[in-house]
């Protein structure tokens, strides 16, 4: 777990301190977010990312928005703030659930000061709840692994750790829990092109904790499953439809198919806030399309001196076009189990397990 001074989301009463994940691992730099508008930019530009962390940050964002309006005697319009934050990133459902709850909590309240206080406590409550849920989920996941085996080799994709949540993590939470049970875990972290959450963030978290970790490029998992015994693939998610189709970072679907072919169990780790029972299948999940330049050049990444990693930025011919869907949908049939704080279950059980929570 990151030390308190490196907690990625820190509320400081008048501002939000966010560990800037765009410059990790080169620099541990915090952004001082003073306004809702700055919060939206931080989410959109991925200074903070990962479905649960985005949701918590979003609620601190509307808190800052409401604080700014304190003393304003115009009629209260919370929808205006909520809508702006809602639009920051579309695929992960956690933010939209959190904003709905935030709206419910201030129904009938007519003072911005009170609204700001209510939202502030909700965001702080979310942090506590998310950490607790991740710890339970982690233990539930660890319990799926054979008790009489002491070493596990696990492939993961993107970053699902303490950086993406309020702490512990979802897929990385299961890995942490296995390690806490005294097991040796060897992690293979998909690099996760184009934003490199695997090589920059997952490898960073695993190294900080002394968990053995090898970065692989996204296309290497087939080779790995052919040449080493892989016990499981663990990934997080951004939204799960009722039939179990799951949106997660681009490349997850390919990984799931390779795992299926090799009979390696593929687990999706998620808290209940990632299940969207309004949607029947993954076809209804909106997929965020991001800038072509994230694929054609590396100049969104800077080195320790603050200089671009590639001086010219380009890793492709000038004028080359690219596609950049940020997420894909893994079909339910490739998923062995969902690992959640409510227990572990197969895709067919989703509506039953989630209907009353
Ligand atoms: O674009 P990102 O970095 O926000 O995407 C993150 C992921 O896809 C994670 O796997 C997901 O949000 C789960 S994080 C616990």
């Amino acid at each position: 777990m990151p030390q308190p001074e490196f907690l990625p989301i820190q509320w400081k009463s008048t501002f939000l301190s966010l560990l800037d994940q765009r410059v990790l691992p080169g620099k541990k730099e915090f952004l001082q977010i003073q306004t809702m508008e700055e919060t939206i930019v931080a989410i959109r530009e991925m200074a903070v990312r990962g479905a649960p962390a985005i949701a918590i940050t979003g609620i601190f964002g509307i808190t800052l928005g409401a604080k700014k309006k304190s003393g304003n005697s115009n009629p209260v319009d919370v929808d205006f703030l909520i809508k702006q934050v809602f639009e920051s990133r579309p695929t992960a459902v956690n933010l939209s659930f959190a904003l709905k709850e935030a709206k419910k909590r201030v129904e009938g309240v007519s003072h911005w000061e009170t609204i700001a206080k209510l939202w502030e406590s909700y965001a702080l409550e979310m942090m506590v709840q998310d950490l607790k849920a991740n710890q339970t989920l982690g233990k539930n996941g660890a319990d799926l692994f054979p008790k009489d085996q002491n070493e596990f080799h696990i492939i993961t994709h993107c970053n699902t750790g303490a950086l993406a949540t309020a702490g512990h993590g979802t897929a990385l939470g299961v890995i942490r829990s296995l390690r806490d049970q005294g097991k040796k875990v060897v992690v293979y972290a998909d690099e996760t092109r184009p934003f490199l959450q695997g090589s920059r963030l997952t490898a960073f978290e695993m190294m900080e904790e002394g968990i053995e970790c090898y970065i692989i490029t996204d296309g290497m998992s087939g080779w790995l499953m052919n040449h080493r015994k892989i016990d499981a693939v663990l990934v997080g998610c951004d939204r799960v439809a009722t039939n179990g189709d799951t949106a997660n970072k681009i490349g997850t679907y390919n990984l799931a198919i390779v795992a299926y072919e090799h009979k390696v169990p593929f687990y999706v780790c998620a808290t209940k806030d990632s299940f969207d029972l309004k949607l029947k299948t993954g076809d209804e999940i909106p997929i965020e399309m991001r800038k072509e330049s994230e694929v054609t050049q590396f100049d969104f990444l800077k080195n320790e001196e603050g200089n671009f990693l590639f001086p010219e930025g380009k890793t492709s011919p000038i004028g080359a076009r690219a596609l950049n869907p940020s997420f894909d949908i893994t079909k339910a049939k490739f998923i062995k189990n969902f690992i959640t704080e409510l227990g572990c279950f197969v895709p067919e059980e989703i509506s039953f397990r989630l209907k009353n929570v």
Side-chain angles (χ1 to χ4, degrees):
M1 291 275 288
Q3 297 306 303
E5 70 269 27
F6 287 127
L7 286 178
I9 305 171
Q10 296 177 38
W11 178 244
K12 307 282 187 184
S13 296
T14 53
F15 67 93
L16 181 66
S17 178
L18 284 183
L19 181 59
D20 188 347
Q21 300 192 28
R22 295 166 302 182
V23 296
L24 278 174
K27 278 186 178 174
K28 289 175 183 166
E29 212 169 68
F30 282 86
L31 299 170
Q32 284 197 9
I33 305 288
Q34 315 271 358
T35 64
M36 186 185 79
E37 291 71 21
E38 286 171 12
T39 314
I40 295 169
V41 173
I43 295 175
R44 195 170 286 147
E45 295 188 354
M46 291 170 64
V48 59
R49 25 75 41 210
I54 291 170
I56 294 164
T57 304
I59 303 306
F60 280 126
I62 54 171
T63 304
L64 289 168
K67 271 180 186 280
K68 195 170 155 193
K69 287 184 178 289
S70 293
N72 185 330
S73 55
N74 292 338
V76 163
D77 178 11
V78 294
D79 286 343
F80 180 68
L81 302 188
I82 287 176
K83 185 170 177 295
Q84 288 181 69
V85 173
F86 172 78
E87 284 167 355
S88 55
R89 289 195 74 194
T91 301
V93 74
N94 308 51
L95 175 63
S96 125
F97 284 161
L99 288 169
K100 268 193 200 116
E101 175 64 21
K103 185 173 172 181
K104 225 164 77 192
R105 289 187 180 213
V106 299
E107 250 156 30
V109 183
S110 50
H111 295 289
W112 282 113
E113 290 82 350
T114 318
I115 291 174
K117 281 207 180 83
L118 288 167
W119 282 347
E120 178 180 14
S121 12
Y122 174 42
L124 293 168
E125 184 188 315
M126 280 173 79
M127 292 187 79
V128 175
Q129 290 305 329
D130 188 59
L131 177 60
K132 230 167 94 186
N134 285 337
Q135 285 165 336
T136 310
L137 175 168
K139 195 181 163 311
N140 291 342
D143 289 346
L144 283 179
F145 288 77
K147 292 276 165 288
D148 55 355
Q149 191 176 327
N150 288 318
E151 180 170 328
F152 298 104
H153 289 240
I154 294 171
I155 300 179
T156 189
H157 191 70
C158 197
N159 173 267
T160 59
L163 291 166
T165 61
H168 200 66
T170 56
L172 292 193
V174 175
I175 288 166
R176 283 193 164 97
S177 298
L178 277 168
R179 187 272 320 269
D180 294 345
Q181 291 179 2
K183 305 292 185 185
K184 175 175 173 171
V185 188
V186 179
V187 175
Y188 301 92
D190 263 356
E191 174 190 40
T192 317
R193 282 274 288 144
F195 219 75
L196 308 179
Q197 290 95 329
S199 57
R200 294 189 303 110
L201 308 177
T202 297
F204 168 75
E205 276 197 45
M206 294 295 92
M207 287 172 77
E208 293 257 303
E209 295 234 8
I211 295 176
E212 194 171 332
C213 177
Y214 298 89
I215 298 165
I216 56 170
T217 64
D218 298 358
M220 289 178 185
S221 47
W223 177 89
L224 194 57
M225 289 184 211
N226 261 329
H227 288 87
R228 302 223 175 140
K229 183 181 172 295
I230 299 298
D231 297 287
V233 175
L234 292 171
V235 298
C237 70
D238 291 82
R239 197 186 297 221
V240 184
T242 310
N243 74 339
D245 289 352
T246 293
N248 191 46
K249 180 53 53 194
I250 191 76
T252 305
Y253 182 34
N254 302 49
L255 181 59
I257 295 171
V258 176
Y260 190 77
E261 172 67 20
H262 287 264
K263 301 188 172 41
V264 171
F266 184 92
Y267 297 116
V268 172
C269 309
T271 62
K272 63 178 170 48
D273 301 331
S274 294
F275 291 84
D276 189 349
L277 298 195
K278 284 195 313 310
L279 309 186
K280 283 201 183 83
T281 74
D283 294 342
E284 297 164 70
I285 300 177
I287 298 294
E288 174 185 7
M289 297 298 287
R290 293 188 62 84
K291 285 187 292 202
E292 292 182 42
S293 57
E294 288 179 359
V295 176
T296 56
Q297 56 201 69
F298 277 178
D299 68 356
F300 63 99
L301 291 176
K302 293 181 180 175
N303 66 13
E304 282 172 46
E305 288 76 45
N307 299 319
F308 292 131
L309 286 182
F310 289 78
E312 297 303 321
K314 291 276 180 193
T315 54
S316 58
I318 292 169
R321 300 296 310 275
L323 288 179
N324 191 8
S326 197
F327 300 92
D328 59 24
I329 307 292
T330 297
K331 293 185 196 322
K333 75 170 190 180
F334 299 115
I335 299 168
K336 182 169 168 69
N337 259 192
F338 287 92
I339 299 175
T340 78
E341 74 276 38
L342 307 170
C344 303
F345 45 86
V346 294
E348 293 74 17
E349 275 183 274
I350 288 177
S351 25
F352 168 70
R353 294 284 194 138
L354 274 299
K355 72 173 176 245
N356 292 322
V357 294

